[in-house]
Amino acid sequence: PAHFHVHFNPASVVDFATVDHRRRDGETTVVDARPAPRFAGKEAEPRPGLARGHIPGSLNVPSGSLVANGELRSAADLRKIFAEAGIDLEGPVITSCGSGITAAVVALGLEVAGAKNVAVYDGSWTEWGAKPGAAIES
């Protein structure tokens, strides 16, 4: 047993407007945690009515690639995975997924790897892929 206190950091969660603005700023990296076929738009989304594809300019790091034998990979392994995906751990990063859940896994992996400026887009593809006029890449 342990006791801990939760302190909400409002900067750690972002909304659609923030993601849409920051994805174009040239400094922020958006990382999508969905499996590669969904990210690429080659596989249908599990929620009816959602568009296929991803947030323009985002990079794909499936959350499953960060785990081995039910545990998060080592910091060194995570740094290698993120580097191979083109993610700068020094810059701001926003994580996304299908519904905001596995985006938290990638956010944890980023923090363990040494990233200091990580936020989760909890609306994720459920919001983005259903929003009329949202930019989509596939």
Side-chain angles (χ1 to χ4, degrees):
H3 296 282
F4 62 93
H5 298 279
V6 176
H7 300 281
F8 177 63
N9 175 2
S12 67
V13 181
V14 294
D15 61 9
F16 177 91
T18 302
V19 176
D20 195 35
H21 172 75
R22 290 183 55 196
R23 72 179 178 86
R24 295 184 254 166
D25 69 8
E27 297 175 15
T28 303
T29 302
V30 178
V31 180
D32 191 316
R34 292 177 298 154
R38 286 176 56 200
F39 175 82
K42 294 179 180 177
E43 187 176 288
E45 289 296 314
R47 290 167 189 81
L50 287 183
R52 293 181 184 208
H54 57 270
I55 297 169
S58 61
L59 302 175
N60 185 223
V61 177
S63 61
S65 69
L66 306 181
V67 178
N69 302 315
E71 295 184 1
L72 196 62
R73 293 183 183 274
S74 70
D77 286 349
L78 294 169
R79 282 190 291 275
K80 182 179 180 195
I81 290 167
F82 292 127
E84 288 173 355
I87 297 162
D88 176 10
L89 298 179
E90 300 298 318
V93 181
I94 295 172
T95 64
S96 179
C97 62
S99 64
I101 304 299
T102 58
V105 173
V106 174
L108 175 62
L110 284 160
E111 295 216 16
V112 168
K116 302 291 183 220
N117 188 353
V118 179
V120 173
Y121 171 33
D122 68 332
S124 286
W125 196 251
T126 298
E127 179 178 39
W128 195 282
K131 195 162 197 78
I136 295 175
E137 192 172 89
S138 60

